[in-house]
Amino acid sequence: MPLLKLYRLATIAATPFAGAGLNWRASHGKEDRDRLDERLGVASRERPEGRLIWLHGASLGETVSLLPLVERFIQRGAEVLVTSGTVSSARILTQRLPAGAFHQYVPLDAPRFVNRFLDYWRPDIAVFAESELWPNMVASLRTRGVALLLANARISRKSAERWSGLPSAARRVFGAIDLCLAQDSENAARFLALGAPCVRIAGNLKFDVAPPPVDAARLAEFNGAVGARPVWAAVSTHAGEEELILAAHAEISKQIPNLLTVIAPRHRERGAEIAELAQAQGFATALRTRDGEPRRETQIYIADTIGELGLFFRSVGVVFMGKSLVPGGGQNPIEPAKLGCAVLYGPHIDNFNEIYTELAAAKAAARVADAAALARAAQYLLSEPARMRRMGRAGAEAVDKLGGASRAIMTAVEPFLAQVAASGR
């Protein structure tokens, strides 16, 4: 039996158990209990009149990268539906989506839920971010004649290799993409090899995203609590990295005894676990959701909130980007670079290699191999504020020069918009 047919049958068989699965996830904080019906394809608001463009990203990073396109589609007179699958992305989008755009959770990829969703929303064009392709959804869009575009398209080497081992399924899924707008030549080649019929290079949308916003009062409170203390941040850290950050803090503190280290884990629910780890090593530790602002004696400050990275990027001069000292592919450094932070990163950055290469070439970022190297680099920059500021300015200039993807993507989308207008939809 063909693999995609088997997948479809499996999702149909699992449909009766979807509610129970969602309730279990909600009990663990992985779903929004008040909006579970949206995951079953049930809308929680009315469809607006006129053209509707559907933009979809898997989670926070992907959906935020779509914000420049949201603005441009609204300027073209369309209403914009933005979907995602995570609680954190829904919260941030609620804050950042402009008038004319709204959020819903994406339905689970079972035919009943997908068809219910598409029957109600009737999108004119679907634009998915990176490589978020679900077989049943892709098939249903193709059956309905809805153009499917992949924007900011990126697929990791490992994912491409897995798909290439399933050539028939890959051709059916990737072959259904009407237009693939890849971030760079390397990703373009992967999508072509997997069967995407029309691939262009448009650049990385994340360079066009505005810096994360900040609440001015909270920024003032945090800076007032920190005062003149030297402070740096380790952001989007993953399990196994916090021990290395704490080791770096201990080493830096030998030379800078009043140092404050901010740790913002990628998954905020790990905050208490990280706090316990720091306390067990004898560090005075504060958890933002529990203890509020850091106190004078605080050494390790765990930023376990959602939507406040803009605050910390504006308050520190040095940022280490996580998921890079342990194997994982790295995290995107564009936001701290835009806000003038000197960026440090580990060796495991496969998913963002091109961005880090650009920043390193501009002398805006530096690679560190381990905790000892991280401590040396952070200590040097904290002790040499002029050097730290030069790195920050270089990063802001570099990412500004690399912008323009949203304009290129809209130019490529124009024929599809014209086709929708000509059809009278």
Side-chain angles (χ1 to χ4, degrees), residues 334-354:
I334 293 174
E335 287 186 346
K338 276 199 169 191
L339 289 171
C341 298
V343 174
L344 303 175
Y345 61 96
H348 304 287
I349 53 164
D350 292 352
N351 293 342
F352 301 96
N353 188 62
E354 184 174 359

Side-chain angles (χ1 to χ4, degrees), residues 62-231:
E62 295 86 350
T63 48
V64 168
S65 74
L66 292 171
L67 288 175
L69 294 185
V70 172
E71 296 277 4
R72 289 180 178 270
F73 278 120
I74 291 172
Q75 291 168 5
R76 292 297 309 274
E79 297 283 336
V80 180
L81 162 65
V82 182
T83 61
S84 63
T86 64
V87 174
S88 59
S89 61
R91 290 175 180 169
I92 296 299
L93 288 170
T94 298
Q95 300 170 12
R96 299 184 66 174
L97 283 177
F102 56 95
H103 175 266
Q104 296 278 280
Y105 282 104
V106 72
L108 300 175
D109 194 47
R112 181 190 300 177
F113 308 141
V114 166
N115 289 327
R116 182 185 289 159
F117 175 89
L118 293 175
D119 285 344
Y120 183 85
W121 291 111
R122 307 185 311 281
D124 294 294
I125 298 173
V127 182
F128 291 1
E130 301 199 1
S131 55
E132 178 71 355
L133 297 169
W134 290 94
N136 290 328
M137 182 64 79
V138 169
S140 292
L141 287 170
R142 192 169 185 82
T143 298
R144 294 161 188 261
V146 178
L148 172 59
L149 283 61
L150 212 56
N152 220 37
R154 166 179 87 85
I155 185 168
S156 69
R157 177 178 53 80
K158 288 183 178 179
S159 293
E161 288 174 354
R162 284 195 293 268
W163 275 109
S164 65
L166 306 167
S168 178
R171 284 194 300 271
R172 291 287 299 274
V173 173
F174 291 90
I177 303 170
D178 292 282
L179 177 60
C180 176
L181 297 162
Q183 293 184 14
D184 51 48
S185 58
E186 185 175 350
N187 280 291
R190 289 172 184 161
F191 282 105
L192 282 169
L194 291 172
C198 182
V199 180
R200 302 180 195 173
I201 299 171
N204 192 333
L205 269 174
K206 292 181 180 179
F207 289 115
D208 290 2
V209 178
V214 66
D215 182 289
R218 290 184 179 179
L219 178 62
E221 288 174 6
F222 179 78
N223 286 338
V226 173
R229 294 179 62 184
V231 55

